[in-house]
Amino acid sequence: MKHNLIFGHKTPDTDSVCSAIVLSWLKNQLDEPSVPYILGSINKETEFVLNYFNVTTPQILDNVKIQLKDLDYDRVKPFNKDSSVHFAYFHMNENKLRTLPIVNDDGLLAGIITMKDIAMSLINTDQQHICTSYDNIIETLLGKSLLRFNDIIDGEIIVASFEERTLRKTSFINKNSIVIVGDRYDIIKYAIEMGVKLIIVTGDMEVPAELLSSAVENKINIIGTSYQTYYTAKNISLSKYVKDIMKDKDIIMFVEDDYLNDCKEDIEQSKHSKFPIISKDNKYLGMLSRNHLINPQRKKVILVDHNEMNQSAEGLEEAEILEVIDHHKIGDIRTSIPIIFRNMPVGSSNTIIYYMYKEHNIEISKEAAGLMLSGIISDTLLFKSPTTTERDRSAVEELSKIVDLDLYKYAMEMFKAGTSLEGKTMEEILFQDFKKFNLVYKNVGISQVFTLDINQIMNSKDDYIRLIDNITYDKDYFLIIMAVTDIVNEGSYIFYTSNKDRLVKGIFEEENVFQGMYVDKCVSRKKQIVPAVISALRMIR
C-alpha cells in the first residue's frame, strides 16, 4: 500500500523527529496512510526522549528520488520454466502480451520469451526430438491419460504411417520412440513390444483392453487425443518446456529499488520494449515498458520543521510535496500545484501539530503527548528562547496533564542527555545541529551546540576555529557560525570563520569581537541569529 513519507530536516533534532512521528500518527487516524522517517542519525537528546516514551526510532530515508518501485509497471503473471510453449503462446495471445517472464520454482527470474522466440523455435530447433513432461503433452493436445508410468517423456517423434510389417523390417520404432498413431492396432501392439517411451492415439480412438493390459505389463505410457494425426504431429513440439526456448543471457533487467534517472538511458537505447523488474533477491516482480516512464508516480511527502531545499531530502524535486508544517522563515520550496502550507510564528513545529490534533478532535495518547511536549521544550529551551509564544506554553500545559510528569525535572534530564559531548569528535559536535542557509545569495552555515559545560569547547578552541575555516573553504561557504549555547545562563559563545570579524561585529552588534565571545540572551538560531545575519549581509552588498 502506498503511503505518505513524513520527515524533518537533514540534521534531525527533537522537534523535527517528534513532529514527524506524531503527525504520522494523526494522519493515519485520518485515513491518510503515513510513515515517519529521519534524514540522518538522531542526537542523544532525541534518543533520550524516544526511549523515555518507548517509541521506535524512525527509519533513515536516504532520498526521495523516483524509483522503479514507484512506477505503475505491469504486474504480468510469470510462467514457470517447466510450463509448455503451447500454454505460453495462448496466454500471450489472449492477453496481448509481447514478452512473457519465466521463473524458477522459487520465483526467481529465469528468462523471458517473446512471440518471435516461439516462432523461431518452430523453424530453427529439432522438431523430432522432444523432452518434456507428460502433463505438458496432455495440455498441448487436449489429451486424456490412458496409462502413465513416467512424468518426463524424452524421445524421438515418429508418425506411424507405414504398415506394421514394414516397420518390423526397419529400426524406425525403438525404445526411444514417441509414436503417433490412429486406429492401427497392429502398430500399437508392435510399439508396446518395442517398449517405446509413449504412444499417442489420435482421432479419439479406443484402445482395446488386451492392448492396454499388455501396455501395463510393459509399463508403456499412452495418451489419447481427439486431434487428427496431422494436427497432433504438427503441434506436439509446442509441448516443449519454455525453458528450452527462453532467453536467459544478456537480459536487460532492473531492480525495483533502482532510481529511474539511472535506468532511463539504458531503457531508451535498448532495442527491446519490455524489461523485467526484480527484487534485491532476484524475485520476479513485473514488466516495465517505455510508456511507464512518461508520467512516473512520484513519492508523496510531507515536510515538517523545515521548508528549504538544502535542508531537505535529496531528490525532493522529484517528489510530490503534499504539505508543509513549519515554524521557520519561508524558504525556497516550490510546488507545481497548491498545497497545504501551515507556517506559524511559534516556538516549535510540535505546537502546530498539537493544535491540529485539537482541530480534528483526535484524542492525544500519552506517547504522542510526551513527544510533542519534548519537541516544544527542546526548541523553546523550556520557554527561555525568544521564539516562545503563549501557544507553546498553553500546549505544554495541556500536554503535561496527559503525560503527568515533573516538567522541570524531565526537561533537565533531557537537556543533560542532549548536551553531553562525551565520545564525539569535533566534527560530529559541529554538525550535530548544523543548518545550511542561502541568505542574501550567500551560503551560510549555522551550528548550534547546547552544553552545560563550556570548558569542553574552550579547551579545544583553536582546533574548532581551524575546523570551521577548513569547512568554510572546502564546502564553499561564505560564513560559518558555531553558537555554543549555555542553557542555564541563557546566552551563547560564538565561533566563526576567521576572516569575517567585521561581518560578525555587525551581526551581533558588539564593539569587540573575538573567537568564543559571549553574547547574552542569544539562544535562538531562528529568531536571533538568522535575521541578524540577513541584515548584516544586506549592509555589505
Side-chain angles (χ1 to χ4, degrees), residues 181-188 201-203 205-206 208 229:
V181 64
D183 58 354
R184 303 286 299 276
Y185 300 122
D186 54 344
I187 293 178
I188 294 175
V201 182
T202 63
M205 295 297 176
E206 293 289 334
T229 301

Side-chain angles (χ1 to χ4, degrees), residues 1-4 33-34 69-71 75 297:
M1 179 175 64
K2 297 290 186 181
H3 60 261
N4 302 328
S34 301
K69 64 183 178 183
D70 298 322
L71 306 182
R75 269 64 177 180
Q297 184 69 42

